[in-house]
Amino acid sequence: YGDIFKTHILGCPCIMIASPEAARFVLVNNAQLFKPTFPASKQRMIGPSALFFHQGEYHSRLRKVVQSSFLPEAIRGIIPDIEIIAMNRLKTWEGRTIITFQEMKKYAFDVGIHSIFGQLDGAYKEDLNKYYHILEKGYNSMPINLPGTRFNKSIKARKKISDILSKIITERRDTNAPHKDLLQSLMESSDERGECLKEEQITDNVIGVLFAAQDTTATVLTWVIKFLTEYPALQQAVTAEQEAIEKTKNKDEILTLADTKKMPLTARIIQETLRLATVLSFTFREAVEDVEYKGYLIPKGWKVMPLFRNIHHNPEYFPDPHKFDPSRFEVPPKPNTFMPFGKGIHACPGNQLAQTEILIFIHHLTTKFRWEILGTDNEIEYSPFPIPKQGLPMRVSGKYEAPQTQSIIPQEDGTTPSILWSDSIFRA
């Protein structure tokens, strides 16, 4: 129906926009006329005070606080910890068959927890992981709060998370020990009235950051591995790039932020993955008043959805758009045609951290391990983000070790995937 049309989704009248100009009109030039909006269940689970549900002074203040925790200087300080998290996660894969997406979620969750809390007590981390896993299942559930429903279980899990955060905040205030992390920044921040943030506001924003940090990063990493496997020449080139960096290091010497800038091919592969997979397919906005755009009336209260996937897959901006071709990013894309992290004042403030943790993970995966994807199914499933079917099962071994008898890591629901494979040689 062209670059702009109207339809209904879940009973809501929606304006769909699929051009760079229209996306900029909504997300950047006139952002004050289009407020962020999410499904009721997701808003309830994350919390009404979370950054991305707001506009105006409150949003501006909170965004600066969150963004300050993800600036290059802040990321530089936690790279050694991200590297340890990546290596520890990869070691659990060795000699096993894993469900890639589920394992990447664990990695992204651990990095998210560290970026929020710094060095956190193991018991707290374990409990947060347990209850967040229950809570996230309610994000897209029907908001029916009856015993036994997914929504009800998620509400109870959210209360547990709130209680845990309250204990952590109380302990910090009692000890008054110095901390340099997002939680501390939120504890020292104020709202638009100049008052300190309440615990409920802090909780909402912590859960919001975890929501933003986990599934999206895990999805991108899963697709990167799939594309590297499907294009052996690219995989070899990335491995060579990463091994060249490794050779400049002494034994046990950690990566630095400067090292991540020496990975141009890997960075382009991440960019092309973000374009082709388009993890964030669209975003919801709602017109706060009647708005006119190019002769069209967007009525107050109607939803507006910039369709990032349509823009990323438009051959006018990306020739042969369904081909995986990282070389297309050797030159910058045209303005407003590449928006993997959104655009404008509500763009993802943690995109630099996400890209850094992906680069670190790919460095250690390609230099120390080898893997083989199991099965040839190219179907996609949505959870709700697009991921390869079955979460991309793969078998992993140490790069310089003989293949061992494989075991299977159970899926999140406790079952094991029904997968057959041959004893073929691992792909280099």
Side-chain angles (χ1 to χ4, degrees):
Y1 296 100
D3 288 341
I4 181 167
F5 59 94
K6 64 180 180 179
T7 186
H8 282 70
I9 295 180
L10 299 176
C12 298
C14 295
I15 302 293
M16 319 296 276
I17 56 176
S19 73
E21 298 78 16
R24 181 173 178 81
F25 177 85
V26 171
L27 300 175
V28 181
N29 295 345
N30 297 277
Q32 74 282 1
L33 300 179
F34 300 94
K35 68 178 182 179
T37 180
F38 289 79
S41 56
K42 189 166 288 185
Q43 285 188 279
R44 178 78 179 274
M45 293 303 156
I46 295 173
S49 297
L51 169 69
F52 36 70
F53 297 145
H54 288 268
Q55 286 183 301
E57 181 64 19
Y58 177 83
H59 172 268
S60 179
R61 282 173 176 265
L62 261 292
R63 182 175 175 82
K64 287 178 183 177
V65 171
V66 173
Q67 208 159 25
S68 68
S69 297
F70 301 129
L71 291 174
E73 190 57 42
I75 294 172
R76 184 179 288 110
I78 65 171
I79 280 182
D81 302 294
I82 296 175
E83 198 166 13
I84 290 171
I85 292 169
M87 283 302 301
N88 287 344
R89 178 56 51 195
L90 281 163
K91 285 175 183 176
T92 68
W93 295 7
E94 196 165 354
R96 295 175 179 266
T97 292
I98 56 108
I99 304 302
T100 309
F101 178 62
Q102 295 300 335
E103 290 297 305
M104 292 306 187
K105 283 184 68 171
K106 295 174 186 176
Y107 169 61
F109 182 85
D110 287 346
V111 173
I113 287 289
H114 188 82
S115 68
I116 295 168
F117 300 99
Q119 299 296 339
L120 184 63
D121 178 84
Y124 281 144
K125 188 185 296 185
E126 189 175 323
D127 285 343
L128 284 170
N129 186 20
K130 172 185 174 182
Y131 292 116
Y132 185 81
H133 180 63
I134 299 171
L135 180 147
E136 69 172 349
K137 292 180 179 178
Y139 281 148
N140 298 296
S141 63
M142 292 293 290
I144 301 172
N145 196 10
L146 294 175
T149 63
R150 182 174 290 183
F151 185 82
N152 179 262
K153 292 176 182 177
S154 296
I155 288 291
K156 290 179 179 177
R158 193 193 189 287
K159 177 64 168 62
K160 293 286 188 181
I161 292 174
S162 182
D163 292 342
I164 294 167
L165 289 175
S166 180
K167 290 179 184 178
I168 296 171
I169 291 169
T170 299
E171 287 176 8
R172 286 202 178 189
R173 285 175 174 158
D174 288 345
T175 59
N176 204 29
H179 293 275
K180 291 184 178 180
D181 50 44
L182 178 58
L183 178 62
Q184 194 65 31
S185 297
L186 290 169
M187 289 171 61
E188 295 171 358
S189 299
S190 58
D191 60 18
E192 70 276 21
R193 297 183 299 275
E195 299 175 359
C196 291
L197 294 179
K198 299 174 183 177
E199 279 191 11
E200 309 90 79
Q201 293 173 305
I202 295 174
T203 297
D204 292 357
N205 282 283
V206 166
I207 293 174
V209 170
L210 283 175
F211 161 71
Q214 189 185 32
D215 278 27
T216 48
T217 302
T219 303
V220 174
L221 267 165
T222 301
W223 280 109
V224 167
I225 289 177
K226 180 172 174 60
F227 289 138
L228 285 178
T229 307
E230 291 179 348
Y231 295 87
L234 280 175
Q235 183 184 147
Q236 290 173 11
V238 167
T239 301
E241 180 176 81
Q242 298 300 335
E243 287 179 342
I245 294 171
E246 188 179 45
K247 288 175 183 176
T248 67
K249 300 288 184 181
N250 296 322
K251 186 178 180 182
D252 298 327
E253 186 179 356
I254 63 172
L255 288 172
T256 65
L257 193 60
D259 289 326
T260 65
K261 307 301 181 186
K262 301 172 186 175
M263 306 175 181
L265 175 59
T266 312
R268 289 197 297 272
I269 283 173
I270 294 170
Q271 287 179 299
E272 178 67 345
T273 300
L274 286 165
R275 183 200 67 82
L276 187 55
T278 306
V279 174
L280 185 65
S281 301
F282 57 85
T283 187
F284 271 111
R285 293 291 185 269
E286 181 180 314
V288 299
E289 60 182 64
D290 289 351
V291 182
E292 186 176 330
Y293 174 72
K294 289 191 174 181
Y296 294 98
L297 175 66
I298 303 175
K300 177 182 178 180
W302 279 40
K303 310 296 184 186
V304 180
M305 293 173 63
L307 303 174
F308 300 133
R309 181 182 298 278
N310 295 51
I311 296 171
H312 291 172
H313 290 186
N314 190 325
E316 182 180 345
Y317 316 123
F318 299 100
D320 199 0
H322 298 294
K323 178 183 177 182
F324 186 79
D325 180 13
S327 68
R328 68 175 85 242
F329 285 95
E330 291 175 1
V331 295
K334 295 177 182 178
N336 307 304
T337 61
F338 183 58
M339 297 175 279
F341 300 101
K343 194 77 174 177
I345 60 173
H346 287 283
C348 175
N351 68 80
Q352 286 296 323
L353 174 62
Q355 292 181 78
T356 301
E357 66 182 280
I358 293 171
L359 288 168
I360 290 172
F361 196 92
I362 295 301
H363 172 82
H364 288 290
L365 176 66
T366 56
T367 57
K368 299 176 178 67
F369 296 87
R370 52 188 176 182
W371 69 91
E372 180 185 20
I373 290 177
L374 307 177
T376 57
D377 194 339
N378 283 320
E379 291 185 33
I380 297 173
E381 62 187 32
Y382 294 84
S383 64
F385 299 108
I387 60 171
K389 196 78 170 177
Q390 292 187 309
L392 196 67
M394 72 175 184
R395 183 170 52 183
V396 183
S397 68
K399 202 166 190 177
Y400 305 108
E401 296 179 7
Q404 302 172 359
T405 302
Q406 306 299 314
S407 58
I408 294 179
I409 295 179
Q411 298 185 90
E412 295 298 322
D413 60 3
T415 64
T416 54
S418 55
I419 302 164
L420 299 175
W421 65 83
S422 63
D423 294 325
S424 58
I425 293 176
F426 292 107
R427 291 180 181 162

mmCIF file of all heavy atoms in Angstrom, residues 360-385:
data_model
loop_
_atom_site.group_PDB
_atom_site.id
_atom_site.type_symbol
_atom_site.label_atom_id
_atom_site.label_comp_id
_atom_site.label_asym_id
_atom_site.label_seq_id
_atom_site.Cartn_x
_atom_site.Cartn_y
_atom_site.Cartn_z
ATOM 1 N N ILE A 360 33.250 -8.568 21.621
ATOM 2 C CA ILE A 360 34.071 -9.346 22.558
ATOM 3 C C ILE A 360 33.722 -10.827 22.459
ATOM 4 O O ILE A 360 34.603 -11.697 22.444
ATOM 5 C CB ILE A 360 33.879 -8.827 23.993
ATOM 6 C CG1 ILE A 360 34.520 -7.439 24.137
ATOM 7 C CG2 ILE A 360 34.475 -9.794 25.017
ATOM 8 C CD1 ILE A 360 34.233 -6.758 25.460
ATOM 9 N N PHE A 361 32.437 -11.120 22.385
ATOM 10 C CA PHE A 361 32.011 -12.516 22.313
ATOM 11 C C PHE A 361 32.495 -13.173 21.024
ATOM 12 O O PHE A 361 33.015 -14.296 21.043
ATOM 13 C CB PHE A 361 30.480 -12.615 22.405
ATOM 14 C CG PHE A 361 29.996 -13.990 22.730
ATOM 15 C CD1 PHE A 361 29.774 -14.363 24.044
ATOM 16 C CD2 PHE A 361 29.770 -14.922 21.736
ATOM 17 C CE1 PHE A 361 29.345 -15.640 24.365
ATOM 18 C CE2 PHE A 361 29.331 -16.202 22.036
ATOM 19 C CZ PHE A 361 29.117 -16.569 23.355
ATOM 20 N N ILE A 362 32.355 -12.484 19.897
ATOM 21 C CA ILE A 362 32.795 -13.032 18.610
ATOM 22 C C ILE A 362 34.312 -13.229 18.602
ATOM 23 O O ILE A 362 34.823 -14.205 18.034
ATOM 24 C CB ILE A 362 32.359 -12.110 17.454
ATOM 25 C CG1 ILE A 362 30.837 -12.067 17.346
ATOM 26 C CG2 ILE A 362 32.973 -12.566 16.132
ATOM 27 C CD1 ILE A 362 30.173 -13.408 17.118
ATOM 28 N N HIS A 363 35.039 -12.331 19.248
ATOM 29 C CA HIS A 363 36.502 -12.480 19.333
ATOM 30 C C HIS A 363 36.871 -13.812 19.966
ATOM 31 O O HIS A 363 37.685 -14.583 19.414
ATOM 32 C CB HIS A 363 37.096 -11.327 20.149
ATOM 33 C CG HIS A 363 38.560 -11.503 20.456
ATOM 34 N ND1 HIS A 363 39.555 -11.181 19.548
ATOM 35 C CD2 HIS A 363 39.196 -11.999 21.560
ATOM 36 C CE1 HIS A 363 40.735 -11.461 20.071
ATOM 37 N NE2 HIS A 363 40.544 -11.956 21.290
ATOM 38 N N HIS A 364 36.285 -14.122 21.107
ATOM 39 C CA HIS A 364 36.662 -15.347 21.816
ATOM 40 C C HIS A 364 36.067 -16.593 21.170
ATOM 41 O O HIS A 364 36.692 -17.663 21.186
ATOM 42 C CB HIS A 364 36.240 -15.236 23.281
ATOM 43 C CG HIS A 364 37.086 -14.270 24.057
ATOM 44 N ND1 HIS A 364 38.400 -14.523 24.361
ATOM 45 C CD2 HIS A 364 36.807 -13.028 24.551
ATOM 46 C CE1 HIS A 364 38.903 -13.495 25.027
ATOM 47 N NE2 HIS A 364 37.967 -12.573 25.158
ATOM 48 N N LEU A 365 34.899 -16.468 20.579
ATOM 49 C CA LEU A 365 34.300 -17.618 19.896
ATOM 50 C C LEU A 365 35.156 -18.042 18.702
ATOM 51 O O LEU A 365 35.457 -19.232 18.525
ATOM 52 C CB LEU A 365 32.884 -17.285 19.428
ATOM 53 C CG LEU A 365 32.174 -18.366 18.607
ATOM 54 C CD1 LEU A 365 31.900 -19.601 19.450
ATOM 55 C CD2 LEU A 365 30.863 -17.828 18.018
ATOM 56 N N THR A 366 35.568 -17.082 17.877
ATOM 57 C CA THR A 366 36.283 -17.427 16.644
ATOM 58 C C THR A 366 37.742 -17.804 16.893
ATOM 59 O O THR A 366 38.314 -18.579 16.115
ATOM 60 C CB THR A 366 36.238 -16.255 15.642
ATOM 61 O OG1 THR A 366 36.762 -15.070 16.259
ATOM 62 C CG2 THR A 366 34.817 -16.000 15.166
ATOM 63 N N THR A 367 38.352 -17.287 17.941
ATOM 64 C CA THR A 367 39.769 -17.580 18.171
ATOM 65 C C THR A 367 39.992 -18.827 19.020
ATOM 66 O O THR A 367 41.085 -19.407 18.977
ATOM 67 C CB THR A 367 40.485 -16.390 18.857
ATOM 68 O OG1 THR A 367 39.818 -16.074 20.088
ATOM 69 C CG2 THR A 367 40.496 -15.164 17.951
ATOM 70 N N LYS A 368 38.994 -19.259 19.762
ATOM 71 C CA LYS A 368 39.210 -20.365 20.704
ATOM 72 C C LYS A 368 38.280 -21.559 20.505
ATOM 73 O O LYS A 368 38.492 -22.604 21.118
ATOM 74 C CB LYS A 368 39.075 -19.850 22.134
ATOM 75 C CG LYS A 368 40.089 -18.767 22.494
ATOM 76 C CD LYS A 368 39.840 -18.223 23.894
ATOM 77 C CE LYS A 368 40.885 -17.173 24.252
ATOM 78 N NZ LYS A 368 40.772 -15.959 23.423
ATOM 79 N N PHE A 369 37.255 -21.406 19.676
ATOM 80 C CA PHE A 369 36.272 -22.482 19.543
ATOM 81 C C PHE A 369 35.919 -22.713 18.073
ATOM 82 O O PHE A 369 36.165 -21.877 17.213
ATOM 83 C CB PHE A 369 34.998 -22.149 20.338
ATOM 84 C CG PHE A 369 35.233 -22.056 21.815
ATOM 85 C CD1 PHE A 369 35.640 -20.853 22.392
ATOM 86 C CD2 PHE A 369 35.063 -23.162 22.634
ATOM 87 C CE1 PHE A 369 35.882 -20.764 23.765
ATOM 88 C CE2 PHE A 369 35.292 -23.082 24.005
ATOM 89 C CZ PHE A 369 35.703 -21.883 24.567
ATOM 90 N N ARG A 370 35.330 -23.856 17.830
ATOM 91 C CA ARG A 370 34.747 -24.168 16.532
ATOM 92 C C ARG A 370 33.340 -24.690 16.770
ATOM 93 O O ARG A 370 33.042 -25.226 17.843
ATOM 94 C CB ARG A 370 35.601 -25.183 15.771
ATOM 95 C CG ARG A 370 35.930 -26.428 16.556
ATOM 96 C CD ARG A 370 36.937 -27.297 15.833
ATOM 97 N NE ARG A 370 37.321 -28.456 16.617
ATOM 98 C CZ ARG A 370 38.220 -29.346 16.235
ATOM 99 N NH1 ARG A 370 38.832 -29.194 15.078
ATOM 100 N NH2 ARG A 370 38.526 -30.377 17.001
ATOM 101 N N TRP A 371 32.496 -24.554 15.771
ATOM 102 C CA TRP A 371 31.106 -24.919 15.983
ATOM 103 C C TRP A 371 30.493 -25.454 14.696
ATOM 104 O O TRP A 371 31.004 -25.238 13.598
ATOM 105 C CB TRP A 371 30.314 -23.722 16.492
ATOM 106 C CG TRP A 371 30.112 -22.627 15.488
ATOM 107 C CD1 TRP A 371 29.063 -22.474 14.619
ATOM 108 C CD2 TRP A 371 30.980 -21.508 15.234
ATOM 109 N NE1 TRP A 371 29.212 -21.348 13.848
ATOM 110 C CE2 TRP A 371 30.391 -20.732 14.207
ATOM 111 C CE3 TRP A 371 32.198 -21.084 15.775
ATOM 112 C CZ2 TRP A 371 30.981 -19.577 13.720
ATOM 113 C CZ3 TRP A 371 32.785 -19.929 15.295
ATOM 114 C CH2 TRP A 371 32.175 -19.190 14.273
ATOM 115 N N GLU A 372 29.382 -26.137 14.868
ATOM 116 C CA GLU A 372 28.635 -26.679 13.739
ATOM 117 C C GLU A 372 27.152 -26.539 14.033
ATOM 118 O O GLU A 372 26.662 -26.994 15.079
ATOM 119 C CB GLU A 372 28.976 -28.152 13.523
ATOM 120 C CG GLU A 372 28.223 -28.781 12.356
ATOM 121 C CD GLU A 372 28.502 -30.277 12.244
ATOM 122 O OE1 GLU A 372 28.943 -30.892 13.228
ATOM 123 O OE2 GLU A 372 28.251 -30.817 11.137
ATOM 124 N N ILE A 373 26.442 -25.891 13.134
ATOM 125 C CA ILE A 373 24.991 -25.772 13.275
ATOM 126 C C ILE A 373 24.348 -27.105 12.928
ATOM 127 O O ILE A 373 24.731 -27.756 11.964
ATOM 128 C CB ILE A 373 24.448 -24.638 12.379
ATOM 129 C CG1 ILE A 373 24.901 -23.272 12.923
ATOM 130 C CG2 ILE A 373 22.923 -24.689 12.285
ATOM 131 C CD1 ILE A 373 24.491 -22.101 12.077
ATOM 132 N N LEU A 374 23.373 -27.499 13.710
ATOM 133 C CA LEU A 374 22.711 -28.786 13.518
ATOM 134 C C LEU A 374 21.396 -28.590 12.787
ATOM 135 O O LEU A 374 20.565 -27.779 13.188
ATOM 136 C CB LEU A 374 22.474 -29.459 14.868
ATOM 137 C CG LEU A 374 23.725 -29.596 15.738
ATOM 138 C CD1 LEU A 374 23.387 -30.213 17.074
ATOM 139 C CD2 LEU A 374 24.790 -30.416 15.025
ATOM 140 N N GLY A 375 21.210 -29.323 11.705
ATOM 141 C CA GLY A 375 19.997 -29.177 10.920
ATOM 142 C C GLY A 375 20.166 -28.125 9.851
ATOM 143 O O GLY A 375 21.074 -27.294 9.884
ATOM 144 N N THR A 376 19.267 -28.141 8.887
ATOM 145 C CA THR A 376 19.330 -27.194 7.758
ATOM 146 C C THR A 376 18.057 -26.367 7.651
ATOM 147 O O THR A 376 17.775 -25.784 6.612
ATOM 148 C CB THR A 376 19.548 -27.957 6.438
ATOM 149 O OG1 THR A 376 18.483 -28.908 6.272
ATOM 150 C CG2 THR A 376 20.881 -28.685 6.447
ATOM 151 N N ASP A 377 17.291 -26.315 8.733
ATOM 152 C CA ASP A 377 16.021 -25.590 8.707
ATOM 153 C C ASP A 377 16.282 -24.089 8.674
ATOM 154 O O ASP A 377 16.931 -23.538 9.561
ATOM 155 C CB ASP A 377 15.202 -25.946 9.955
ATOM 156 C CG ASP A 377 13.754 -25.523 9.840
ATOM 157 O OD1 ASP A 377 13.470 -24.637 9.010
ATOM 158 O OD2 ASP A 377 12.913 -26.073 10.567
ATOM 159 N N ASN A 378 15.786 -23.411 7.636
ATOM 160 C CA ASN A 378 15.976 -21.966 7.513
ATOM 161 C C ASN A 378 14.732 -21.171 7.908
ATOM 162 O O ASN A 378 14.650 -19.975 7.621
ATOM 163 C CB ASN A 378 16.385 -21.601 6.084
ATOM 164 C CG ASN A 378 17.843 -21.921 5.805
ATOM 165 O OD1 ASN A 378 18.691 -21.703 6.659
ATOM 166 N ND2 ASN A 378 18.112 -22.472 4.642
ATOM 167 N N GLU A 379 13.782 -21.833 8.551
ATOM 168 C CA GLU A 379 12.577 -21.123 8.979
ATOM 169 C C GLU A 379 12.875 -20.194 10.142
ATOM 170 O O GLU A 379 13.873 -20.345 10.849
ATOM 171 C CB GLU A 379 11.490 -22.131 9.377
ATOM 172 C CG GLU A 379 10.926 -22.918 8.208
ATOM 173 C CD GLU A 379 9.768 -23.806 8.636
ATOM 174 O OE1 GLU A 379 9.028 -23.393 9.556
ATOM 175 O OE2 GLU A 379 9.624 -24.896 8.077
ATOM 176 N N ILE A 380 11.965 -19.242 10.322
ATOM 177 C CA ILE A 380 12.109 -18.246 11.389
ATOM 178 C C ILE A 380 10.930 -18.374 12.339
ATOM 179 O O ILE A 380 9.803 -18.612 11.926
ATOM 180 C CB ILE A 380 12.162 -16.815 10.799
ATOM 181 C CG1 ILE A 380 13.391 -16.660 9.897
ATOM 182 C CG2 ILE A 380 12.174 -15.761 11.895
ATOM 183 C CD1 ILE A 380 13.422 -15.349 9.139
ATOM 184 N N GLU A 381 11.199 -18.205 13.636
ATOM 185 C CA GLU A 381 10.127 -18.134 14.620
ATOM 186 C C GLU A 381 10.259 -16.818 15.370
ATOM 187 O O GLU A 381 11.306 -16.176 15.333
ATOM 188 C CB GLU A 381 10.184 -19.333 15.579
ATOM 189 C CG GLU A 381 11.463 -19.426 16.400
ATOM 190 C CD GLU A 381 11.539 -20.720 17.208
ATOM 191 O OE1 GLU A 381 11.014 -21.741 16.737
ATOM 192 O OE2 GLU A 381 12.132 -20.694 18.307
ATOM 193 N N TYR A 382 9.207 -16.424 16.050
ATOM 194 C CA TYR A 382 9.189 -15.120 16.717
ATOM 195 C C TYR A 382 8.958 -15.313 18.216
ATOM 196 O O TYR A 382 8.062 -16.030 18.621
ATOM 197 C CB TYR A 382 8.095 -14.235 16.117
ATOM 198 C CG TYR A 382 8.395 -13.875 14.691
ATOM 199 C CD1 TYR A 382 8.069 -14.731 13.642
ATOM 200 C CD2 TYR A 382 9.061 -12.698 14.378
ATOM 201 C CE1 TYR A 382 8.381 -14.425 12.332
ATOM 202 C CE2 TYR A 382 9.376 -12.374 13.070
ATOM 203 C CZ TYR A 382 9.029 -13.231 12.052
ATOM 204 O OH TYR A 382 9.347 -12.914 10.760
ATOM 205 N N SER A 383 9.811 -14.608 19.023
ATOM 206 C CA SER A 383 9.739 -14.855 20.462
ATOM 207 C C SER A 383 9.798 -13.603 21.363
ATOM 208 O O SER A 383 10.328 -13.706 22.463
ATOM 209 C CB SER A 383 10.890 -15.783 20.842
ATOM 210 O OG SER A 383 12.137 -15.149 20.614
ATOM 211 N N PRO A 384 9.294 -12.436 21.028
ATOM 212 C CA PRO A 384 8.647 -12.044 19.782
ATOM 213 C C PRO A 384 9.630 -11.612 18.692
ATOM 214 O O PRO A 384 9.223 -11.333 17.577
ATOM 215 C CB PRO A 384 7.797 -10.851 20.222
ATOM 216 C CG PRO A 384 8.610 -10.209 21.292
ATOM 217 C CD PRO A 384 9.293 -11.344 22.024
ATOM 218 N N PHE A 385 10.924 -11.530 19.022
ATOM 219 C CA PHE A 385 11.891 -11.116 18.010
ATOM 220 C C PHE A 385 12.153 -12.281 17.052
ATOM 221 O O PHE A 385 12.058 -13.444 17.434
ATOM 222 C CB PHE A 385 13.196 -10.673 18.677
ATOM 223 C CG PHE A 385 13.025 -9.507 19.604
ATOM 224 C CD1 PHE A 385 13.105 -9.666 20.980
ATOM 225 C CD2 PHE A 385 12.773 -8.240 19.111
ATOM 226 C CE1 PHE A 385 12.941 -8.596 21.831
ATOM 227 C CE2 PHE A 385 12.609 -7.147 19.959
ATOM 228 C CZ PHE A 385 12.690 -7.338 21.322
#
